[in-house]
Amino acid sequence: TFSENLLDTTLLFLFRRFVQEQTGYKSSKEGILGLLEEGREYMLRPQQTAEAQHKMTYNTLSKLLTPVMPPIYKTFMSGNNWQPLLGESFGPWPWAAALTAFITPTFFGFLVGPSRANRRKDGALGGLVVEKCKFLQESGCKGMCLHICKLPAQQFFSEGLGLELTVSPNFETQECQWSFGETPLPHEKDPSFPKGCLEGCPTREALSEVQQSMSCS
């Protein structure tokens, strides 16, 4: 059970609205369960691709931050906007990873639940641990975690904000480590991802139903 404040409720409403604009589908369920149903419906569409799922989340995050925030972040945090003057190798600013980890829990709880700043695996500041990921706990789906959260979030921070990010979910404890300023491994080489579906995955069951209905039509 997760308690939500007014900010969480507002951000979740906006996030769902942007997802619905991207997918053209609106679930009748409330809150995070409705968001997960919208994501699962989009994921299970015929001929769906991982790239399309990543793009949907990337565009949703872009809209949530509005056109105003990325340029500010690139100026005062990742330093990308200074590269034409100071060189392509400039950035991020020394405080970028740690300050991002400090700020993020306030604005990201609506999606993942409570989190707190910690240290990355290299011992540097800039880590964030999600104590019990709401998205993972409620979805129970590795595919949704990978293609609607982990990979597009890493891509958005790298390409949209100019700061590398590694997201490392733990499917046994449902914790999730976010390491700002850390370059991620390709997901096929990432040891944090087990092979195959998670036990009791609702998406696998939904996929079986879809395949059965198609074979009977």
Side-chain angles (χ1 to χ4, degrees), residues 14-48:
L14 292 173
F15 195 87
R16 283 194 63 184
R17 180 179 176 183
F18 298 147
V19 167
Q20 291 159 9
E21 290 175 358
Q22 295 285 315
T23 64
Y25 173 75
K26 181 178 181 180
S27 169
S28 60
K29 294 182 179 179
E30 298 288 334
I32 188 71
L33 296 181
L35 174 64
L36 292 172
E37 185 172 275
E38 289 156 0
R40 184 172 289 112
E41 189 275 341
Y42 188 67
M43 181 181 181
L44 294 179
R45 290 180 184 180
Q47 286 79 53
Q48 183 60 280

Side-chain angles (χ1 to χ4, degrees), residues 8-160:
D8 292 334
T9 302
T10 302
L11 290 174
L12 180 57
F13 171 82
L14 292 173
F15 195 87
R16 283 194 63 184
R17 180 179 176 183
F18 298 147
V19 167
Q20 291 159 9
E21 290 175 358
Q22 295 285 315
T23 64
Y25 173 75
K26 181 178 181 180
S27 169
S28 60
K29 294 182 179 179
E30 298 288 334
I32 188 71
L33 296 181
L35 174 64
L36 292 172
E37 185 172 275
E38 289 156 0
R40 184 172 289 112
E41 189 275 341
Y42 188 67
M43 181 181 181
L44 294 179
R45 290 180 184 180
Q47 286 79 53
Q48 183 60 280
T49 64
E51 290 74 16
Q53 295 173 67
H54 303 168
K55 184 178 180 181
M56 182 273 288
T57 301
Y58 187 104
N59 291 342
T60 299
L61 290 171
S62 295
K63 288 190 173 187
L64 191 67
L65 263 66
T66 77
V68 175
M69 292 306 297
I72 294 175
Y73 192 92
K74 289 180 177 181
T75 300
F76 298 106
M77 299 287 268
S78 67
N80 280 28
N81 285 350
W82 295 97
Q83 290 178 354
L85 181 64
L86 301 177
E88 291 297 319
S89 62
F90 181 79
W93 290 104
W95 56 80
L99 189 54
T100 301
F102 178 76
I103 294 172
T104 299
T106 301
F107 299 99
F108 222 39
F110 79 95
L111 194 58
V112 299
S115 60
R116 55 181 171 80
N118 68 352
R119 291 184 180 269
R120 305 182 322 206
K121 63 182 179 182
D122 63 2
L125 296 174
L128 175 75
V129 61
V130 179
E131 298 168 3
K132 187 77 74 170
C133 179
K134 179 164 61 171
F135 186 91
L136 177 57
Q137 187 174 25
E138 296 291 357
S139 70
C141 178
K142 185 185 75 174
M144 291 184 69
C145 174
L146 178 65
H147 295 299
I148 301 182
C149 183
K150 172 182 164 67
L151 293 180
Q154 291 178 169
Q155 181 187 17
F156 181 76
F157 267 87
S158 176
E159 299 177 8

